[in-house]
């Protein structure tokens, strides 16, 4: 992978830095809210910030992104409003989904966030449909779907890859390989120990990328999205990444992985890496980055306050939105 | 789920919207409905296995080899082309899921699921995505997806290809389920379903495909409203409810009963979800007796719902317990000698009606 | 589906088979049941995601990291090893299908489907293969497969992770469906299910997992018969039927009703398919009133079945229409403010009972 | 592919010849019965005889085979009784399945035929389960599952291949690529135009073989089954074959394929090829083969007579066999 970071402008670099910091702070805050009993069933994306950030740098509001049970980072990178996201986590009426969807289902169609999804692998064909829309309507929108290494073993991925390939649809399949599906190690569950390699059987490029390097994610994202917009068809990207926390709140990952392994990945933290890169290349100063850190902290605090102070949905919301028309 | 004022108006009483009516087969009526829906709205697309056939072979002179497994989509590719009439691989989870995604982003896909039993391979997309997205996303995303599928025994296709499992779909809030009973309702329900902003599943019974009976079919597009049952035939002594093919059974049974001196009211339920409770309750409050005829498996079924509805909400009007005529709790057998015993027959309906009339 | 003579005997009246009873949690009771079933029969294997956890990492010192998503299988891999306690990839169609194939060829697999809603991705294997093979193959192949799965709202998991969809499974002839209501019935039903020669699905309600109440749990293996309801508490004025978690709701409601001077009979249905019609009918013929409490979606549901059963077969005994207490026809909302409104509560049951008692 | 036919003994060659001729005659007879209205929904396997024949030459009764909607040839090659098969087609009480399953569901556990299956792709995971049984029980039985080129796009195949690979199960995945799924050409539906190639992504051998050459099928089957028995794991075989008839009775294949294409394949007919090979190598005489033809004709006629004269199931069979114990 040619490192083209030299060609990356300051604006993009700082946008990526800020986005990753916002994600991290958002997740720290949502964890605090969860620990305080205000929400349950949260899957933290800390450690994986670089993946959707590098990809989303190339996306527009009229491009689609689709996520998983672990999707706060996908949403933030795609531009979903922090206030509405945090309100959704707390089940408030002001949430992205009016409090009906929660942490695993955040969606914001205006930002092209077509929804997180709690069923592993379920969103992959849906993403193919969003791409099909673009093709039938004749525009150049693309559709990005994120899924985990565990999801790679769902049949839906394979049906979707085949469809996208024969129809040359603008889909980018992004596997966030964080090495675990709950407590199940990647090397146990994925025959051949490569998701990217499976792309070949579907006549599409399969690219393995360092998911801890936002620069590399930016790079592979750029080419995949260019291909998609140009009508050249889908790409599968396997981003090698790591979740720092347990699968969900109560999970202690040291029951299935070593401290050394955790240390190894944390030493290659995506935020730190980008920070060092920016400083090393002189693209910005410590102070500039510190001020972005602070700005991120302020928006996340504001979002948390907004969410905390927002009203819950009214009881009648239980039965609305089941149908558009009854 | 109370039917609203609009639905209360009997749609049949408005009369056919045109004088230009024809005797069409069920297949012709559906084909026309899809064609008209595609003409009026460029966002309507159709996907499914062999819905055109011989995909990619136009240059070799092959096009529209099948026109759909039951020929419902015959001739459409010539008018609308392969971008909108889209043959798929055998990947139901893939293309039904793609239908959900396309629907959520501005298209109105009509997706063919060859047989209802193949629900098994794409149930996740239907039950977890199509049914739930609108609700989970706080009403901010619509999924105007239509799925058409074949149901019914009677063709010696054995247990996997003969199911009538609309009860399963109706169980899920968020899905609408309709079941045409003749060419007229088929055309109207297809047009309503495609125009509807919710996911709608249309269940077509195999044995109705060649059917030419029922009201004549108007040329122009018209809707048969979703959520509204139809009183096919008024009567005073007993209500017979049918769905799809069993509506035809009920009509025949009513004729036999009338020879025995009984006046049966036939209600064609048409929509399994949302159910038109009002029409059923009105009918049974008048006749005070009901025989519910359905080909779906009996347990946790639409027939149970109708029976429970009547028992709970028309209890004081009933002169006899509600009575269901359904298959037994068994699978669909292959043998020519056994399959006819599975399907509700005119004889069984007449016998049941005679019993509640005692 | 008439219960046979054996089933007519109330199994509870036989008393616990041992004096060595303990207060176990639901989880402990299930864990013990699986362990005992595996000890008594070497063909019993368990498959599922993270049912042990950290598969393949024994050498690194990791084993049994999870012991199942709800810890039902904790500690089993140490005794039975990874050949019989088999962690799977997230490929439900693959491993449930493998369960069917293994069952048809001499094993007794117990397969974990983490949440009932994930049925969507493996419905074909359950409905088209597990349910149908014995019938389609003329009774010559058995499929002694057991599936265990989680149901229920109450943990703020939103629409996809909170369903109670046993009605869908019960719809299919060929499947058996059981729903434990406490640690005692959990252990007995697990043992019965694993020993049963038909495919059985066990639905475990999330909110019961930590539960220690109910009858004490005998140490040795015992069966709670499939197909048999249990009269938890006798009463004269009204029958309350519950399933799983709602049985606990009914017990509490009965206590409140008794304070109001009413004597409620509580029937724990336990098996959704085949249904124990006799016990329900006997009870309602005595009390002449019924409130059916169920957390599954209301349409085409088990609650509808019970209502229809009573209406059709105990019509002349009823002093009031049957009454269902279920969620409305809606999906499970996420918000802490909405989710409690979905689940049937003691208050709603008491209110319903009071109404039918007027 | 080394042609090892030289090493093939006469007995095996004649067994294969006879098996293929029996299949063909059985299918001709069942077509006549279908044309006479005695059964419906039949999918003829004429043209594809060599595939299960070459494979089954290596199988024992305690090995498993699983089929599809088009499975008469799989059943015959696996040794299922012709009388019971034909009776099943006619829905008779004497059928393999007592008349309850019919043409798409023939099963005979005593012969290891674990069932045809009418849902495309559905049997593939079931075959993995049969192989798992063998592994857990510690015997060396293997499990062979047949599926079409169309079925290759079902997610079940991919889940099953992954499972079989990570667990090193004795499964042989046999794709009968007859170039069509109903009227849908293989080159349209399968991205990359190779099923065999997909095996690589699952770390298992993927072999393309000439499905019109029973010798080649014998050869690839031999190695795959050896591997499986030896505990070396699964193999995917893509057998290039052709169905001579329409998808089902009423289908006219010339609506989607050319006469030239049909001629090309018929000129390479599997029965003719083997016949020529046997005669060319002097392994048997015309007369010997003619007597096998006649023997095949006699057994198929007898089966048809047996089926025709057998009684239908009694009405009470409608509700038996739903459960083992009620
Ligand atoms: C179909 C389905 N099966 C199982 C689950 C339960 N589950 C939720 S997350 C998860 C692990 C997912 O692993 P991976 O795809 O690697 O994503 P990650 O959690 O690592 O981001 C599982 C098994 C589910 N939600 N859906
Ligand atoms: C899940 C499912 N989808 C669709 C069908 C309808 N169908 C039956 S056979 C067939 C074509 C199968 O093609 P292929 O797998 O190539 O097998 P072949 O018929 O060529 O032997 C289809 C689409 C089905 N039976 N099951
Ligand atoms: Mg992962
Ligand atoms: Mg084929």
């Amino acid at each position: 992978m040619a490192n083209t970071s030299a060609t990356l402008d300051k604006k993009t670099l700082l946008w990526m830095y800020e986005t990753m910091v916002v994600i991290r702070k958002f997740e720290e805050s949502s964890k605090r809210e969860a620990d305080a009993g205000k929400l349950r069933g949260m899957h933290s994306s800390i450690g994986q910030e670089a993946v959707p950030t590098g990809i989303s740098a190339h996306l527009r509001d009229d491009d689609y992104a689709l996520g998983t049970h672990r999707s706060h980072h996908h949403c933030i990178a795609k531009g979903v409003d922090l206030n509405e996201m945090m309100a959704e986590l707390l089940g408030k009426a002001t949430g992205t989904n009016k409090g009906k969807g929660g942490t695993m289902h955040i969606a914001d169609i205006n930002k092209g966030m077509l929804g997180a999804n709690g069923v592993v692998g379920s969103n992959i064909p849906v993403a193919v449909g969003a791409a099909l829309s673009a093709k039938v309507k004749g525009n150049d929108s693309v559709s990005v779907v994120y899924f985990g290494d565990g999801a790679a073993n769902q049949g839906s991925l394979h049906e979707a890859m085949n469809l996208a390939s024969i129809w040359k649809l603008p889909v980018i399949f992004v596997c966030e390989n964080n090495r675990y599906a709950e407590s199940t190690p990647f090397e146990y569950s994925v025959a051949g120990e490569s998701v990217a390699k499976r792309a070949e059987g579907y006549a599409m490029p399969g690219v393995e990328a360092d998911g801890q390097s936002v620069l590399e994610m930016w790079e592979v994202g750029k080419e995949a999205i260019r291909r998609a917009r140009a009508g050249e068809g889908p790409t599968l990207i396997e981003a090698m990444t790591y979740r720092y926390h347990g699968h969900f709140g109560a999970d202690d990952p040291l029951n299935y992985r070593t401290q050394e392994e955790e240390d190894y990945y944390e030493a290659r933290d995506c935020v730190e890496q980008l920070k060092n890169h920016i400083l090393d290349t002189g693209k910005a100063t410590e102070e500039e980055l510190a001020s972005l850190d602070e700005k991120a902290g302020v928006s996340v605090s504001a979002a948390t306050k907004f969410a905390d102070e927002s009203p819950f949905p009214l009881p009648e919301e239980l039965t609305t939105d089941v149908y558009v028309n009854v | 789920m109370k039917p609203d004022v609009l639905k209360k108006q009997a749609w049949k009483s408005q009369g056919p919207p045109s004088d230009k009516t024809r005797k069409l087969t069920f297949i012709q009526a559906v084909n026309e409905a899809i064609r008209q829906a595609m003409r009026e709205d460029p966002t309507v697309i159709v996907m499914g296995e062999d819905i055109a056939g011989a995909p990619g072979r136009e240059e070799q002179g092959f096009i529209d080899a099948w026109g759909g497994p039951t020929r419902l989509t015959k001739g459409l590719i010539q008018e609308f082309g392969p971008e909108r009439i889209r043959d798929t691989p055998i990947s139901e989870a893939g293309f039904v899921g793609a239908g959900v995604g396309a629907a959520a982003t501005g298209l109105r896909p009509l997706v063919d699921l060859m047989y209802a039993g193949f629900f098994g391979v794409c149930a996740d997309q239907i039950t977890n995505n199509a049914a739930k997205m609108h609700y989970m996303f706080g009403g901010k995303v619509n999924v105007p997806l239509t799925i058409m599928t074949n149901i019914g025994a009677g063709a010696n296709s054995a247990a996997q290809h003969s199911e009538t499992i609309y009860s399963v779909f109706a169980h899920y809030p968020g899905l609408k389920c309709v079941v045409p009973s003749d060419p007229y309702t088929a055309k109207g329900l297809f047009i309503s379903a495609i125009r509807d902003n919710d996911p709608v599943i249309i269940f077509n019974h195999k044995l109705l495909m060649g059917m030419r009976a029922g009201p004549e079919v108007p040329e122009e597009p018209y809707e048969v409203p979703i959520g509204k049952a139809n009183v096919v035939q008024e009567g005073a002594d007993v209500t017979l409810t049918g769905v799809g093919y069993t509506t035809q059974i009920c009509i025949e049974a009513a004729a036999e009963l009338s020879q025995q001196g009984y006046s049966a009211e036939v209600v064609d339920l048409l929509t399994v979800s949302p159910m038109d409770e009002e029409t059923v309750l009105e009918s049974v409050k008048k006749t005070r007796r009901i025989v519910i005829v359905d080909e779906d498996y009996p347990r946790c079924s639409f027939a149970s719902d109708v029976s429970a509805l009547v028992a709970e909400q028309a209890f004081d009007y009933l002169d006899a317990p509600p009575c269901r005529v359904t298959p037994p709790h068994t699978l669909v057998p292959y043998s020519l000698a056994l399959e006819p015993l599975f399907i509700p027959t005119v004889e069984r309906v007449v016998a049941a009606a005679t019993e509640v009339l005692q």
Side-chain angles (χ1 to χ4, degrees), chain A, chain B:
Chain A
M1 176 85 24
N3 187 337
T4 55
S5 54
T7 71
L8 263 177
D9 58 31
K10 177 173 178 180
K11 199 177 140 212
T12 306
L13 285 172
L14 292 193
W15 178 85
M16 296 201 299
Y17 179 79
E18 185 180 350
T19 301
M20 295 201 296
V21 172
V22 167
I23 293 170
R24 184 150 308 174
K25 288 188 189 291
F26 185 92
E27 291 296 63
E28 285 162 357
S29 183
S30 61
K31 182 175 182 319
R32 279 191 298 271
E33 299 291 292
D35 291 345
K38 296 189 205 165
L39 75 143
R40 286 194 273 184
M42 209 199 89
H43 305 86
S44 165
S45 65
I46 289 183
Q48 306 185 191
E49 294 88 345
V51 182
T53 301
I55 300 280
S56 298
H58 308 284
L59 298 178
R60 311 181 307 233
D61 282 356
D62 65 347
D63 291 322
Y64 297 106
L66 297 96
T68 65
H69 55 287
R70 189 185 313 285
S71 252
H72 298 173
H73 56 325
H74 308 140
C75 296
I76 293 173
K78 196 67 178 59
V80 180
D81 182 73
L82 296 184
N83 288 6
E84 292 184 21
M85 273 185 67
M86 192 64 86
E88 188 59 32
L89 297 197
L90 300 199
K92 298 300 180 78
T94 53
T96 43
N97 306 25
K98 302 201 307 206
K100 292 185 176 184
T103 162
M104 284 196 284
H105 303 294
I106 293 171
D108 182 351
I109 191 92
N110 294 324
K111 292 291 178 184
M113 182 64 211
L114 208 53
N117 195 318
V119 180
V120 167
S122 188
N123 247 352
I124 307 174
V126 180
V128 171
L132 178 61
S133 265
K135 183 154 196 279
V136 171
K137 290 189 233 159
N139 63 42
D140 72 344
S141 289
V142 305
S143 176
V144 177
V145 62
Y146 301 97
F147 55 94
D149 49 299
N153 297 317
Q154 281 287 14
S156 59
L157 172 61
H158 305 275
E159 297 191 13
M161 287 204 293
N162 188 62
L163 261 188
S165 181
I166 66 166
W167 289 349
K168 275 194 176 294
L169 296 179
V171 187
I172 299 93
F173 299 96
V174 182
C175 177
E176 292 183 283
N177 184 344
N178 63 10
R179 313 205 66 87
Y180 295 90
E182 297 186 341
S183 75
T184 303
F186 166 67
E187 77 272 7
Y188 173 83
S189 67
V190 175
E193 290 182 44
S194 166
V195 177
K197 223 169 68 185
R198 292 187 180 174
E200 206 187 318
Y202 303 87
M204 76 172 78
V207 192
E208 189 178 309
D210 179 357
Q212 296 312 90
S213 160
V214 73
L215 300 177
E216 191 164 324
M217 287 313 303
W218 184 91
E219 191 66 28
V220 298
K222 184 178 173 197
E223 170 57 10
I225 291 163
R226 183 203 64 71
R227 262 178 64 81
R229 284 208 208 288
E232 294 170 22
T235 301
L236 170 63
I237 297 170
E238 180 179 10
M240 308 310 292
T241 181
Y242 205 69
R243 65 163 151 77
Y244 291 180
H245 292 195
H247 172 66
F248 64 103
D251 176 39
D252 177 1
L254 290 176
N255 286 327
Y256 48 86
R257 67 188 193 190
T258 61
Q259 187 63 55
E260 289 105 288
E261 187 183 280
E262 293 196 353
D263 293 346
Y264 171 80
Y265 282 97
E266 295 199 19
R268 303 172 60 263
D269 181 65
C270 56
V271 178
E272 285 304 305
Q273 278 196 63
L274 179 60
K275 185 174 188 170
N276 293 338
H277 171 82
I278 290 173
L279 295 176
D280 290 354
T281 56
K283 287 271 166 61
T285 64
E286 291 265 13
E287 292 71 41
E288 283 176 282
L289 297 187
S291 86
L292 290 180
D293 291 350
E294 200 192 313
K295 190 176 150 212
V298 168
S299 359
V300 168
S301 300
T304 310
K305 185 160 183 288
F306 172 84
D308 268 322
E309 293 173 358
S310 284
F312 278 110
L314 297 174
E316 51 265 37
E317 287 289 334
L318 174 64
T319 52
T320 59
D321 303 324
V322 180
Y323 297 101
V324 183
N325 326 301
V326 191
Chain B
M1 188 78 34
K2 286 276 144 58
D4 62 22
V5 183
L6 198 90
K7 279 191 261 141
K8 260 196 225 170
Q9 302 165 13
W11 53 268
K12 277 289 284 301
S13 68
Q14 298 162 2
S18 152
D19 289 343
K20 296 198 199 131
T21 59
R22 291 107 353 119
K23 281 272 176 224
L24 297 188
T25 63
F26 191 99
I27 292 174
Q28 290 168 329
V30 169
N31 187 273
E32 184 169 279
I34 301 173
R35 187 183 294 276
Q36 291 176 341
M38 293 190 77
R39 281 184 186 158
E40 76 182 20
D41 184 345
T43 67
V44 177
I45 65 165
V46 189
M47 286 194 274
E49 293 149 16
D50 306 280
I51 55 152
R57 294 212 164 165
E58 300 81 356
E59 284 179 17
Q60 294 171 57
F62 296 116
I63 187 172
D64 206 28
W66 273 37
T70 45
R71 311 300 184 259
L72 294 179
T73 43
K74 190 79 191 161
L76 297 180
I77 194 165
Q78 285 89 338
E79 180 169 349
F80 302 106
E83 192 71 48
R84 293 180 65 196
I85 300 292
R86 207 167 257 276
D87 276 299
T88 64
I90 311 176
S91 307
E92 284 86 357
F95 69 79
V96 172
V100 173
T105 55
L107 299 187
R108 289 190 174 273
L110 169 63
V111 175
D112 185 52
L113 180 63
M114 209 176 286
Y115 289 96
F118 304 166
F119 164 69
V121 297
C122 56
D124 175 52
Q125 293 301 329
I126 298 176
T127 64
N128 287 325
N129 291 336
K132 297 194 172 75
M133 277 172 82
H134 185 65
Y135 189 83
M136 289 194 308
F137 296 171
K140 295 176 185 173
V141 173
N142 294 352
V143 184
L145 168 72
T146 304
I147 296 174
M148 54 179 170
T149 189
N150 269 298
I151 56 170
N156 303 114
S157 310
Q160 292 176 337
H161 284 68
S162 308
E163 290 182 304
T164 301
I165 47 174
Y166 37 62
S167 301
V168 170
F169 298 82
H171 186 64
Y172 288 91
L175 299 177
K176 293 177 175 172
C177 305
V178 299
V179 193
S181 54
D182 59 21
Y184 179 87
T185 53
K187 179 170 173 185
L189 284 172
F190 263 80
I191 288 181
S192 298
I194 294 171
R195 289 180 184 165
D196 199 279
N197 286 323
D198 288 308
V200 182
I201 305 169
I202 308 175
F203 298 87
N204 297 314
H205 199 292
K206 276 178 202 158
L207 298 185
L208 297 177
M209 288 295 165
M211 180 198 199
R212 239 174 240 278
E216 301 214 326
V217 179
E219 245 177 57
E220 64 268 39
Y222 60 93
E223 297 190 9
V224 166
I226 295 174
K228 184 72 196 120
N230 180 37
V231 178
V232 177
Q233 172 176 327
E234 303 217 348
D237 301 333
V238 59
T239 298
L240 310 179
T241 66
V243 207
Y245 175 72
T246 58
T247 294
Q248 300 305 325
I249 299 288
C250 289
I251 291 171
E252 283 187 53
E256 279 210 18
L257 286 166
S258 110
Q259 294 193 335
Q260 296 179 25
Y262 295 117
S263 156
E265 176 146 314
V266 177
V267 179
D268 183 0
L269 294 167
L270 285 167
T271 299
V272 172
S273 178
M275 188 192 336
D276 180 356
E277 303 186 344
E278 203 140 332
T279 299
V280 173
L281 289 172
E282 263 171 37
S283 175
V284 86
K285 283 178 184 172
K286 181 176 69 174
T287 64
R288 309 182 79 90
R289 291 171 173 93
I290 187 166
V291 175
I292 301 150
V293 190
D294 189 12
E295 192 184 316
D296 201 355
Y297 300 129
R299 292 294 319 279
C300 304
S301 67
F302 186 39
S304 299
D305 272 1
V306 177
S307 180
L309 168 75
V310 164
E312 294 171 19
Q313 296 190 32
F315 189 71
D316 293 332
Y317 296 85
L318 290 175
D319 285 345
C323 173
R324 284 176 280 174
V325 176
T326 68
H329 184 63
T330 192
L331 296 156
V332 183
Y334 169 78
S335 178
L336 282 163
L338 297 177
E339 196 188 28
L341 307 174
F342 180 90
I343 308 169
T345 56
V346 174
E347 297 67 50
R348 284 183 60 209
V349 176
V350 170
T354 318
E355 191 162 322
V356 299
L357 281 161
Q358 299 309 301

